[in-house]
Amino acid sequence: MNWSSFKYLTRQGLHSMAANRLMTLASVGVLTACLIITGIAGLFSANVNSIVEYMGKQNESVVYPAEGLSPEQAAAVDAGIRAISGIAEVRYVSREEVLERYKGYMEEYADLLDSFEGDENPFRANYQVVVSDLENLENVLAQLKAIEGVDGVRALTDMSSMFVKVQHAVNFCGWALVVMLGVVSVVVIHNTIRLTVFARRREINIMKYVGATNGFIRLPFFIEGMASGVLAGLLAGGLVLGGYAALLRLVKDVPGLWGQVAAASVLPLSGVWYLVLGGFCAFGVLIGSIGSAMSVRKYLKV
């Protein structure tokens, strides 16, 4: 097919959209609604993953070496902790550092805590460990407890497990929603183009009699389906990104701990806009192409 034929068929596809504007409006509107819901689900899932990752970095496990270890035993404990895979950060905290930290927490009792200096210090040295993936927390804790010379391990396993379960549930629901809405979009565009093909069945029949190839007949319908997908993608992308920008402004004003967590972990608009817009257009073109292929293949033989 030469370039002039391609331009002609492209114009025919766009002309068909204008001629069947009500059906085009219906397909673009339904696809836009599906993309908006899909985009909201996708952004929500991505932000939940980001928050879980951030909380995982803040969720420190505390490892207590046994009392009275020799320098060699203490060095072995240190090496054993650092050798475990899946640990993102290990920091040794001496007894003196723990005491100073509590002084910062309890400034009004700082003078009282001064009496705990030296041998009177009741606090224990420890290692603060941050795992790279909360899903691997239980495995890492088991390995830490198995190290000879480790007296105990303290970790917020219940909270970590809750975050992981929420992450899995959101991801599952998000993907299920994407698949379901994708099927709905394909069905809508398929029915729209099927009606167009049915209305032009005599024209298609004449074109086949004069020797037009199936590809020559199909291309305008593919153009129509893909153009509908692009329009829906641009419209849905603009609406979703506009709403997301407004939501980010509201998040900045959330007080307290959750406001700090959101400010540190919610994905910025600059990091997602091109993914949302590009993904919507690509998804729209894919759905439009699939709907066109299903319709034309069935109704081409008239």
Side-chain angles (χ1 to χ4, degrees):
M1 181 182 298
N2 56 38
W3 176 245
S4 60
S5 297
F6 179 78
K7 290 194 297 184
Y8 167 76
L9 294 175
T10 300
R11 288 196 298 269
Q12 286 296 107
L14 298 177
H15 173 74
S16 178
M17 290 180 63
N20 301 277
R21 61 180 64 90
L22 291 179
M23 295 303 299
T24 299
L25 182 62
S27 61
V28 170
V30 172
L31 183 54
T32 298
C34 292
L35 287 173
I36 289 175
I37 299 173
T38 302
I40 293 174
L43 284 174
F44 182 67
S45 177
N47 278 287
V48 167
N49 289 333
S50 179
I51 291 173
V52 170
E53 182 179 355
Y54 173 79
M55 295 301 293
K57 293 179 180 178
Q58 311 306 312
N59 185 21
E60 295 180 335
S61 301
V62 181
V63 181
Y64 294 101
E67 298 284 353
L69 294 177
S70 66
E72 292 78 11
Q73 291 173 322
V77 170
D78 185 275
I81 293 174
R82 298 181 187 277
I84 296 175
S85 61
I87 292 180
E89 180 183 348
V90 177
R91 189 165 65 90
Y92 177 74
V93 183
S94 66
R95 297 171 63 196
E96 292 74 23
E97 288 180 281
V98 177
L99 178 59
E100 290 300 320
R101 180 176 298 181
Y102 273 90
K103 286 182 180 180
Y105 294 155
M106 307 168 63
E107 295 182 359
E108 63 273 22
Y109 302 108
D111 293 339
L112 177 62
L113 291 175
D114 285 340
S115 61
F116 292 145
E117 296 284 353
D119 294 336
E120 300 297 325
N121 189 341
F123 298 106
R124 297 176 60 181
N126 61 75
Y127 287 89
Q128 294 183 347
V129 176
V130 178
V131 298
S132 55
D133 187 354
L134 283 180
E135 293 189 34
N136 198 34
L137 179 61
E138 294 289 346
N139 181 43
V140 171
L141 293 179
Q143 295 182 64
L144 289 171
K145 293 175 182 178
I147 296 175
E148 185 177 356
V150 169
D151 189 41
V153 179
R154 180 170 57 84
L156 299 176
T157 54
D158 290 340
M159 185 179 71
S160 302
S161 177
M162 180 194 68
F163 278 121
V164 171
K165 289 179 180 178
V166 169
Q167 182 184 27
H168 287 170
V170 169
N171 287 338
F172 175 80
C173 293
W175 280 110
L177 192 61
V178 168
V179 173
M180 181 181 67
L181 293 177
V183 172
V184 170
S185 302
V186 169
V187 171
V188 170
I189 291 183
H190 163 64
N191 288 332
T192 302
I193 297 179
R194 184 179 65 177
L195 291 175
T196 304
V197 174
F198 182 79
R200 297 173 59 187
R201 63 191 184 282
R202 294 179 180 175
E203 177 186 344
I204 294 173
N205 198 21
I206 293 172
M207 292 174 66
K208 288 180 65 67
Y209 274 122
V210 299
T213 64
N214 286 343
F216 188 89
I217 298 173
R218 283 191 180 104
L219 186 58
F221 297 103
F222 274 101
I223 296 297
E224 182 180 347
M226 289 188 291
S228 297
V230 171
L231 286 175
L234 293 174
L235 182 59
L239 292 173
V240 169
L241 291 175
Y244 190 66
L247 180 63
L248 290 178
R249 287 194 293 269
L250 294 176
V251 165
K252 293 180 180 178
D253 299 328
V254 175
L257 176 60
W258 285 110
Q260 297 176 8
V261 171
S265 59
V266 171
L267 299 174
L269 183 63
S270 60
V272 299
W273 73 266
Y274 55 92
L275 294 174
V276 172
L277 200 57
F280 277 4
C281 290
F283 188 70
V285 168
L286 176 63
I287 296 300
S289 301
I290 294 175
S292 300
M294 291 173 59
S295 302
V296 176
R297 182 179 61 184
K298 184 175 180 180
Y299 288 90
L300 189 59
K301 297 178 182 181
V302 294

